Amino acid sequence: MIPYGRQNISDQDIDEVINILKSDYLTQGPKVPDFEAALSQTTGAEHSVAMNSATSALHVACMALGLGPGDVLWTSPITFVASANCALYCGAKVDFVDIDLTTFNLCPNELEKKLVQAETSGTLPKIVVPVHLCGQSCDMAKINELSKRFGFHVIEDASHAIGAHYQNQPVGNCRFSDITVFSFHPVKIVTTAEGGVAQTNDPELADRMRMLRSHGITRDQGLMTKDSDGPWYYQQLMLGYNYRMTELQAGLGLSQLSRLNEFVATRNEIAQRYDDALSSSVFDTPKQHADCYSARHLYVLQLDSERSRLAHMEVFEFLRSEGIGVNLHYIPVHLQPYYSEMGFKHGDFPNAEAYYQRAISIPVFPTMSEDDIRKVVQTVLKVPAK
Ligand SMILES: *Cc1c(COP(=O)(O)O)cnc(C)c1O
């Protein structure tokens, strides 16, 4: 079975991890700051706070922005559950904004409509989390404009999008947001096995996130609220967690990051092959906005039921039976049982639900062989038309 995504581990990656195993530090050494500096270099954000996952980074980002009980966070229903769960960890509520049916990203016009209504009812969100689905940036200029007009914070969930560009600038530079989060899970663009980062240009947010990832503790005199007792001294200033990244993860990440441009270029080449080969299939191929260079984390086809003889489920089963490890990104979060219990139901976000009825992710990852790519194309073209 050709999986929908897979990591690319080189001999250099392996050597780097072995060297760290033989070094003095397995955690809290020099590699995490080195990796953070390299991440800031990559995107142009001033501060990078590496953590043990993007989920942790989203949680810490929400805490640093003061999200708490009585507050609301809005995100897209077409995302991994972590984009929404981060609000619940803080005791806040979640609501969703429907997607745009050409990019599958949170729709800025829907967002504006919902903000206007929320302003009259006094239920404006404290944070909006746009998700750069498949690696293609949301319309951040418009979202930024709305954030100023309605006074909310923005956390970009860029888990799919390291190496992507928006308006010719790297995603992650936080030009249009308070914080950007990336994931380094093995299916993502670069991996640290588990891992994530929060980036920001705001030094105070960066300090708070650094404390929150490590118990709420600081050893920085400048941040302490009373005099130091001595050289052993540290202060706990808030309730934090242990969300630290290890040296092994950071070393792997540094080594992977040196191939970021290559990874993203290869993903784009494969996507271009699919665009060309599958344009006259029973599927619609994904559209790219002119402002965006996608990292191509996912390649999502949309089944056209007018053209296809098989239903969505049958297509899924057919492709899997032929050895193509198709997947579905994502089940609308508001339809998850846990979210239904909060009162969300079918019909709440019709575009997200329509997308879910048609979406199929086909394999895209940089170590796909020529044979893999050809096999995916040929098998997708075998899905019969009416
Ligand atoms: C993968 C992913 C996450 C969570 O990342 P982890 O590093 O696994 O915690 C969050 N949001 C989106 C959109 C993701 O794809």
Side-chain angles (χ1 to χ4, degrees):
M1 184 86 85
I2 306 171
Y4 82 87
R6 191 184 186 330
Q7 69 274 18
N8 175 342
I9 301 294
S10 68
D11 288 341
Q12 182 199 308
D13 294 341
I14 293 166
D15 290 344
E16 180 63 29
V17 173
I18 291 171
N19 286 338
I20 293 165
L21 278 169
K22 294 175 181 166
S23 77
D24 290 340
Y25 294 99
L26 300 185
T27 187
Q28 293 175 288
K31 284 290 171 186
V32 168
D34 284 356
F35 184 40
E36 290 174 338
L39 288 165
S40 290
Q41 190 77 39
T42 300
T43 66
E46 281 171 43
H47 309 276
S48 297
V49 184
M51 282 172 255
N52 58 1
S53 71
T55 303
S56 302
L58 286 165
H59 181 195
V60 158
C62 287
M63 286 182 81
L65 289 168
L67 191 73
D71 295 328
V72 189
L73 174 149
W74 291 1
T75 189
S76 168
I78 298 298
T79 185
F80 185 55
V81 292
S83 316
N85 288 345
C86 55
L88 306 179
Y89 299 153
C90 297
K93 287 201 163 130
V94 174
D95 202 353
F96 301 94
V97 179
D98 210 351
I99 61 166
D100 172 277
L101 277 177
T102 50
T103 62
F104 318 143
N105 277 330
L106 184 146
C107 175
N109 298 330
E110 288 294 320
L111 175 61
E112 183 168 11
K113 264 195 264 170
K114 196 167 169 123
L115 286 164
V116 170
Q117 285 169 0
E119 192 172 42
T120 31
S121 58
T123 53
L124 282 170
K126 181 156 190 162
I127 299 176
V128 173
V129 179
V131 180
H132 305 323
L133 197 77
C134 306
Q136 174 169 231
S137 176
C138 294
D139 183 350
M140 291 310 298
K142 172 82 182 187
I143 292 169
N144 177 252
E145 187 191 301
L146 293 170
S147 80
K148 292 196 170 124
R149 184 168 140 210
F150 292 94
F152 57 85
H153 294 294
V154 177
I155 302 173
E156 295 175 67
D157 184 343
S159 290
H160 300 179
I162 194 163
H165 287 201
Y166 173 68
Q167 294 183 346
N168 294 315
Q169 294 188 19
V171 168
N173 68 0
C174 299
R175 181 174 165 210
F176 295 120
S177 63
D178 298 278
I179 296 170
T180 303
V181 168
F182 294 113
S183 170
F184 307 125
H185 183 277
V187 295
K188 306 287 163 69
I189 311 290
V190 296
T191 190
T192 62
E194 296 282 358
V197 68
Q199 299 197 303
T200 184
N201 293 323
D202 180 333
E204 281 173 27
L205 278 179
D207 283 340
R208 242 175 288 156
M209 293 196 289
R210 259 188 216 104
M211 275 191 258
L212 286 164
R213 79 168 160 190
S214 191
H215 310 282
I217 280 171
T218 185
R219 288 174 186 277
D220 180 344
Q221 287 280 347
L223 297 175
M224 291 187 185
T225 54
K226 56 178 195 146
D227 289 343
S228 169
D229 290 351
W232 62 85
Y233 195 61
Y234 56 83
Q235 275 185 2
Q236 184 184 348
L237 297 174
M238 50 186 83
L239 184 62
Y241 296 81
N242 181 351
Y243 283 168
R244 292 187 304 259
M245 174 177 274
T246 67
E247 292 286 285
L248 301 171
Q249 291 168 306
L252 177 56
L254 259 173
S255 180
Q256 286 261 308
L257 209 51
S258 67
R259 288 181 291 148
L260 172 64
N261 292 341
E262 186 192 311
F263 288 165
V264 173
T266 309
R267 285 174 175 277
N268 273 280
E269 281 161 26
I270 297 168
Q272 186 63 54
R273 294 272 299 273
Y274 288 160
D275 286 349
D276 296 341
L278 304 177
S279 61
S280 54
S281 68
V282 298
F283 300 93
D284 293 328
T285 53
K287 305 283 178 297
Q288 301 299 303
H289 192 279
D291 281 345
C292 299
Y293 172 66
S294 173
R296 295 288 195 175
H297 164 56
L298 299 170
Y299 192 94
V300 176
L301 290 170
Q302 292 270 292
L303 183 67
D304 183 351
S305 57
E306 302 283 296
R307 279 179 280 163
S308 172
R309 200 186 317 154
L310 302 183
H312 187 241
M313 177 84 74
E314 293 168 323
V315 171
F316 220 89
E317 284 165 353
F318 169 74
L319 292 172
R320 284 233 175 134
S321 73
E322 295 278 318
I324 311 300
V326 287
N327 222 311
L328 210 168
H329 301 91
Y330 289 93
I331 305 157
V333 179
H334 70 284
L335 299 181
Q336 292 288 352
Y338 190 76
Y339 280 84
S340 301
E341 274 179 34
M342 291 171 214
F344 295 107
K345 57 189 188 309
H346 272 278
D348 283 351
F349 303 100
N351 289 355
E353 292 166 28
Y355 164 90
Y356 178 54
Q357 298 300 315
R358 300 181 57 202
I360 297 184
S361 308
I362 61 173
V364 57
F365 54 91
T367 52
M368 283 184 88
S369 67
E370 186 54 39
D371 280 354
D372 289 339
I373 299 169
R374 221 172 307 154
K375 183 173 173 191
V376 171
V377 166
Q378 281 166 1
T379 314
V380 170
L381 289 175
K382 273 205 268 177
V383 177
K386 267 180 186 158

PDB file of all heavy atoms in Angstrom, residues 74 97-100 106-117 146 349-351:
ATOM      1  N   TRP A  74     -12.601  30.719  17.542  1.00  0.00           N
ATOM      2  CA  TRP A  74     -13.205  30.234  16.296  1.00  0.00           C
ATOM      3  C   TRP A  74     -12.130  29.615  15.416  1.00  0.00           C
ATOM      4  O   TRP A  74     -11.014  30.145  15.306  1.00  0.00           O
ATOM      5  CB  TRP A  74     -13.837  31.391  15.509  1.00  0.00           C
ATOM      6  CG  TRP A  74     -15.051  32.003  16.134  1.00  0.00           C
ATOM      7  CD1 TRP A  74     -15.653  31.676  17.316  1.00  0.00           C
ATOM      8  CD2 TRP A  74     -15.815  33.094  15.587  1.00  0.00           C
ATOM      9  NE1 TRP A  74     -16.737  32.483  17.543  1.00  0.00           N
ATOM     10  CE2 TRP A  74     -16.861  33.358  16.501  1.00  0.00           C
ATOM     11  CE3 TRP A  74     -15.710  33.860  14.432  1.00  0.00           C
ATOM     12  CZ2 TRP A  74     -17.795  34.374  16.270  1.00  0.00           C
ATOM     13  CZ3 TRP A  74     -16.648  34.872  14.205  1.00  0.00           C
ATOM     14  CH2 TRP A  74     -17.682  35.113  15.113  1.00  0.00           C
ATOM     15  N   VAL A  97     -16.169  28.525  11.682  1.00  0.00           N
ATOM     16  CA  VAL A  97     -16.513  29.382  10.547  1.00  0.00           C
ATOM     17  C   VAL A  97     -16.419  28.497   9.314  1.00  0.00           C
ATOM     18  O   VAL A  97     -15.392  27.827   9.113  1.00  0.00           O
ATOM     19  CB  VAL A  97     -15.529  30.560  10.420  1.00  0.00           C
ATOM     20  CG1 VAL A  97     -15.886  31.434   9.223  1.00  0.00           C
ATOM     21  CG2 VAL A  97     -15.487  31.371  11.711  1.00  0.00           C
ATOM     22  N   ASP A  98     -17.447  28.471   8.493  1.00  0.00           N
ATOM     23  CA  ASP A  98     -17.490  27.547   7.352  1.00  0.00           C
ATOM     24  C   ASP A  98     -16.370  27.844   6.349  1.00  0.00           C
ATOM     25  O   ASP A  98     -15.788  28.927   6.343  1.00  0.00           O
ATOM     26  CB  ASP A  98     -18.865  27.609   6.679  1.00  0.00           C
ATOM     27  CG  ASP A  98     -19.238  26.257   6.040  1.00  0.00           C
ATOM     28  OD1 ASP A  98     -18.375  25.359   5.978  1.00  0.00           O
ATOM     29  OD2 ASP A  98     -20.402  26.116   5.611  1.00  0.00           O
ATOM     30  N   ILE A  99     -16.082  26.848   5.517  1.00  0.00           N
ATOM     31  CA  ILE A  99     -14.956  26.949   4.578  1.00  0.00           C
ATOM     32  C   ILE A  99     -15.381  27.541   3.232  1.00  0.00           C
ATOM     33  O   ILE A  99     -16.567  27.553   2.882  1.00  0.00           O
ATOM     34  CB  ILE A  99     -14.290  25.575   4.335  1.00  0.00           C
ATOM     35  CG1 ILE A  99     -15.288  24.568   3.720  1.00  0.00           C
ATOM     36  CG2 ILE A  99     -13.689  25.043   5.608  1.00  0.00           C
ATOM     37  CD1 ILE A  99     -14.626  23.314   3.148  1.00  0.00           C
ATOM     38  N   ASP A 100     -14.393  27.990   2.508  1.00  0.00           N
ATOM     39  CA  ASP A 100     -14.542  28.425   1.128  1.00  0.00           C
ATOM     40  C   ASP A 100     -14.412  27.173   0.258  1.00  0.00           C
ATOM     41  O   ASP A 100     -13.501  26.373   0.468  1.00  0.00           O
ATOM     42  CB  ASP A 100     -13.407  29.417   0.834  1.00  0.00           C
ATOM     43  CG  ASP A 100     -13.330  29.792  -0.618  1.00  0.00           C
ATOM     44  OD1 ASP A 100     -12.728  29.021  -1.404  1.00  0.00           O
ATOM     45  OD2 ASP A 100     -13.854  30.850  -0.965  1.00  0.00           O
ATOM     46  N   LEU A 106     -10.811  28.283   5.783  1.00  0.00           N
ATOM     47  CA  LEU A 106     -11.774  29.149   6.458  1.00  0.00           C
ATOM     48  C   LEU A 106     -12.116  30.329   5.546  1.00  0.00           C
ATOM     49  O   LEU A 106     -11.211  31.006   5.042  1.00  0.00           O
ATOM     50  CB  LEU A 106     -11.138  29.628   7.765  1.00  0.00           C
ATOM     51  CG  LEU A 106     -11.946  30.469   8.724  1.00  0.00           C
ATOM     52  CD1 LEU A 106     -11.540  30.151  10.159  1.00  0.00           C
ATOM     53  CD2 LEU A 106     -11.751  31.942   8.454  1.00  0.00           C
ATOM     54  N   CYS A 107     -13.419  30.555   5.332  1.00  0.00           N
ATOM     55  CA  CYS A 107     -13.859  31.554   4.352  1.00  0.00           C
ATOM     56  C   CYS A 107     -13.896  32.941   4.991  1.00  0.00           C
ATOM     57  O   CYS A 107     -14.629  33.163   5.950  1.00  0.00           O
ATOM     58  CB  CYS A 107     -15.245  31.186   3.827  1.00  0.00           C
ATOM     59  SG  CYS A 107     -15.926  32.435   2.741  1.00  0.00           S
ATOM     60  N   PRO A 108     -13.118  33.891   4.469  1.00  0.00           N
ATOM     61  CA  PRO A 108     -13.081  35.218   5.089  1.00  0.00           C
ATOM     62  C   PRO A 108     -14.421  35.964   5.020  1.00  0.00           C
ATOM     63  O   PRO A 108     -14.712  36.759   5.915  1.00  0.00           O
ATOM     64  CB  PRO A 108     -11.995  35.962   4.305  1.00  0.00           C
ATOM     65  CG  PRO A 108     -11.695  35.142   3.116  1.00  0.00           C
ATOM     66  CD  PRO A 108     -12.171  33.753   3.351  1.00  0.00           C
ATOM     67  N   ASN A 109     -15.219  35.686   3.976  1.00  0.00           N
ATOM     68  CA  ASN A 109     -16.527  36.351   3.908  1.00  0.00           C
ATOM     69  C   ASN A 109     -17.486  35.811   4.966  1.00  0.00           C
ATOM     70  O   ASN A 109     -18.243  36.564   5.586  1.00  0.00           O
ATOM     71  CB  ASN A 109     -17.137  36.200   2.510  1.00  0.00           C
ATOM     72  CG  ASN A 109     -16.267  36.853   1.449  1.00  0.00           C
ATOM     73  OD1 ASN A 109     -15.562  37.827   1.722  1.00  0.00           O
ATOM     74  ND2 ASN A 109     -16.276  36.295   0.249  1.00  0.00           N
ATOM     75  N   GLU A 110     -17.455  34.492   5.158  1.00  0.00           N
ATOM     76  CA  GLU A 110     -18.251  33.880   6.238  1.00  0.00           C
ATOM     77  C   GLU A 110     -17.798  34.424   7.589  1.00  0.00           C
ATOM     78  O   GLU A 110     -18.613  34.674   8.479  1.00  0.00           O
ATOM     79  CB  GLU A 110     -18.084  32.355   6.239  1.00  0.00           C
ATOM     80  CG  GLU A 110     -18.773  31.633   5.108  1.00  0.00           C
ATOM     81  CD  GLU A 110     -20.292  31.732   5.189  1.00  0.00           C
ATOM     82  OE1 GLU A 110     -20.832  31.647   6.306  1.00  0.00           O
ATOM     83  OE2 GLU A 110     -20.916  31.908   4.126  1.00  0.00           O
ATOM     84  N   LEU A 111     -16.488  34.592   7.718  1.00  0.00           N
ATOM     85  CA  LEU A 111     -15.931  35.108   8.975  1.00  0.00           C
ATOM     86  C   LEU A 111     -16.472  36.512   9.240  1.00  0.00           C
ATOM     87  O   LEU A 111     -16.932  36.814  10.344  1.00  0.00           O
ATOM     88  CB  LEU A 111     -14.391  35.121   8.895  1.00  0.00           C
ATOM     89  CG  LEU A 111     -13.649  35.739  10.080  1.00  0.00           C
ATOM     90  CD1 LEU A 111     -13.946  34.985  11.377  1.00  0.00           C
ATOM     91  CD2 LEU A 111     -12.134  35.773   9.831  1.00  0.00           C
ATOM     92  N   GLU A 112     -16.453  37.334   8.206  1.00  0.00           N
ATOM     93  CA  GLU A 112     -16.923  38.718   8.371  1.00  0.00           C
ATOM     94  C   GLU A 112     -18.400  38.738   8.773  1.00  0.00           C
ATOM     95  O   GLU A 112     -18.786  39.442   9.699  1.00  0.00           O
ATOM     96  CB  GLU A 112     -16.692  39.504   7.073  1.00  0.00           C
ATOM     97  CG  GLU A 112     -17.091  40.956   7.205  1.00  0.00           C
ATOM     98  CD  GLU A 112     -16.617  41.820   6.038  1.00  0.00           C
ATOM     99  OE1 GLU A 112     -16.163  41.257   5.015  1.00  0.00           O
ATOM    100  OE2 GLU A 112     -16.716  43.055   6.163  1.00  0.00           O
ATOM    101  N   LYS A 113     -19.212  37.917   8.086  1.00  0.00           N
ATOM    102  CA  LYS A 113     -20.651  37.860   8.404  1.00  0.00           C
ATOM    103  C   LYS A 113     -20.870  37.460   9.855  1.00  0.00           C
ATOM    104  O   LYS A 113     -21.683  38.051  10.565  1.00  0.00           O
ATOM    105  CB  LYS A 113     -21.336  36.814   7.501  1.00  0.00           C
ATOM    106  CG  LYS A 113     -21.990  37.394   6.261  1.00  0.00           C
ATOM    107  CD  LYS A 113     -22.946  36.386   5.630  1.00  0.00           C
ATOM    108  CE  LYS A 113     -22.291  35.610   4.511  1.00  0.00           C
ATOM    109  NZ  LYS A 113     -23.035  34.472   4.001  1.00  0.00           N
ATOM    110  N   LYS A 114     -20.131  36.441  10.265  1.00  0.00           N
ATOM    111  CA  LYS A 114     -20.309  35.907  11.621  1.00  0.00           C
ATOM    112  C   LYS A 114     -19.829  36.917  12.672  1.00  0.00           C
ATOM    113  O   LYS A 114     -20.416  37.020  13.750  1.00  0.00           O
ATOM    114  CB  LYS A 114     -19.538  34.579  11.736  1.00  0.00           C
ATOM    115  CG  LYS A 114     -19.927  33.741  12.925  1.00  0.00           C
ATOM    116  CD  LYS A 114     -19.375  32.325  12.800  1.00  0.00           C
ATOM    117  CE  LYS A 114     -19.540  31.592  14.114  1.00  0.00           C
ATOM    118  NZ  LYS A 114     -20.304  30.355  14.027  1.00  0.00           N
ATOM    119  N   LEU A 115     -18.779  37.676  12.334  1.00  0.00           N
ATOM    120  CA  LEU A 115     -18.272  38.701  13.260  1.00  0.00           C
ATOM    121  C   LEU A 115     -19.284  39.826  13.439  1.00  0.00           C
ATOM    122  O   LEU A 115     -19.492  40.312  14.555  1.00  0.00           O
ATOM    123  CB  LEU A 115     -16.943  39.256  12.746  1.00  0.00           C
ATOM    124  CG  LEU A 115     -15.728  38.331  12.891  1.00  0.00           C
ATOM    125  CD1 LEU A 115     -14.563  38.801  12.013  1.00  0.00           C
ATOM    126  CD2 LEU A 115     -15.276  38.226  14.348  1.00  0.00           C
ATOM    127  N   VAL A 116     -19.914  40.224  12.329  1.00  0.00           N
ATOM    128  CA  VAL A 116     -20.909  41.296  12.403  1.00  0.00           C
ATOM    129  C   VAL A 116     -22.057  40.876  13.331  1.00  0.00           C
ATOM    130  O   VAL A 116     -22.487  41.636  14.205  1.00  0.00           O
ATOM    131  CB  VAL A 116     -21.430  41.665  10.988  1.00  0.00           C
ATOM    132  CG1 VAL A 116     -22.639  42.589  11.054  1.00  0.00           C
ATOM    133  CG2 VAL A 116     -20.305  42.309  10.168  1.00  0.00           C
ATOM    134  N   GLN A 117     -22.504  39.624  13.174  1.00  0.00           N
ATOM    135  CA  GLN A 117     -23.572  39.104  14.048  1.00  0.00           C
ATOM    136  C   GLN A 117     -23.094  39.020  15.495  1.00  0.00           C
ATOM    137  O   GLN A 117     -23.830  39.388  16.422  1.00  0.00           O
ATOM    138  CB  GLN A 117     -24.001  37.704  13.594  1.00  0.00           C
ATOM    139  CG  GLN A 117     -24.847  37.711  12.338  1.00  0.00           C
ATOM    140  CD  GLN A 117     -25.022  36.303  11.755  1.00  0.00           C
ATOM    141  OE1 GLN A 117     -24.511  35.314  12.298  1.00  0.00           O
ATOM    142  NE2 GLN A 117     -25.733  36.222  10.645  1.00  0.00           N
ATOM    143  N   LEU A 146      -9.782  42.072   9.434  1.00  0.00           N
ATOM    144  CA  LEU A 146     -10.933  41.818  10.315  1.00  0.00           C
ATOM    145  C   LEU A 146     -10.500  41.776  11.779  1.00  0.00           C
ATOM    146  O   LEU A 146     -11.237  42.220  12.666  1.00  0.00           O
ATOM    147  CB  LEU A 146     -11.624  40.504   9.925  1.00  0.00           C
ATOM    148  CG  LEU A 146     -12.318  40.503   8.561  1.00  0.00           C
ATOM    149  CD1 LEU A 146     -12.754  39.088   8.174  1.00  0.00           C
ATOM    150  CD2 LEU A 146     -13.527  41.451   8.557  1.00  0.00           C
ATOM    151  N   PHE A 349     -22.567  23.688   9.211  1.00  0.00           N
ATOM    152  CA  PHE A 349     -21.540  24.242   8.324  1.00  0.00           C
ATOM    153  C   PHE A 349     -21.601  23.492   6.991  1.00  0.00           C
ATOM    154  O   PHE A 349     -20.812  22.563   6.731  1.00  0.00           O
ATOM    155  CB  PHE A 349     -20.152  24.142   9.011  1.00  0.00           C
ATOM    156  CG  PHE A 349     -20.160  24.848  10.341  1.00  0.00           C
ATOM    157  CD1 PHE A 349     -20.288  24.119  11.521  1.00  0.00           C
ATOM    158  CD2 PHE A 349     -20.138  26.236  10.405  1.00  0.00           C
ATOM    159  CE1 PHE A 349     -20.368  24.766  12.748  1.00  0.00           C
ATOM    160  CE2 PHE A 349     -20.216  26.895  11.632  1.00  0.00           C
ATOM    161  CZ  PHE A 349     -20.329  26.157  12.804  1.00  0.00           C
ATOM    162  N   PRO A 350     -22.554  23.896   6.136  1.00  0.00           N
ATOM    163  CA  PRO A 350     -22.871  23.119   4.932  1.00  0.00           C
ATOM    164  C   PRO A 350     -21.702  22.948   3.961  1.00  0.00           C
ATOM    165  O   PRO A 350     -21.577  21.879   3.353  1.00  0.00           O
ATOM    166  CB  PRO A 350     -24.018  23.898   4.271  1.00  0.00           C
ATOM    167  CG  PRO A 350     -24.263  25.103   5.089  1.00  0.00           C
ATOM    168  CD  PRO A 350     -23.470  25.030   6.348  1.00  0.00           C
ATOM    169  N   ASN A 351     -20.845  23.947   3.822  1.00  0.00           N
ATOM    170  CA  ASN A 351     -19.721  23.784   2.887  1.00  0.00           C
ATOM    171  C   ASN A 351     -18.750  22.726   3.392  1.00  0.00           C
ATOM    172  O   ASN A 351     -18.261  21.892   2.613  1.00  0.00           O
ATOM    173  CB  ASN A 351     -18.960  25.100   2.697  1.00  0.00           C
ATOM    174  CG  ASN A 351     -19.754  26.113   1.893  1.00  0.00           C
ATOM    175  OD1 ASN A 351     -20.845  25.805   1.390  1.00  0.00           O
ATOM    176  ND2 ASN A 351     -19.233  27.318   1.780  1.00  0.00           N
TER     177      ASN A 351
END
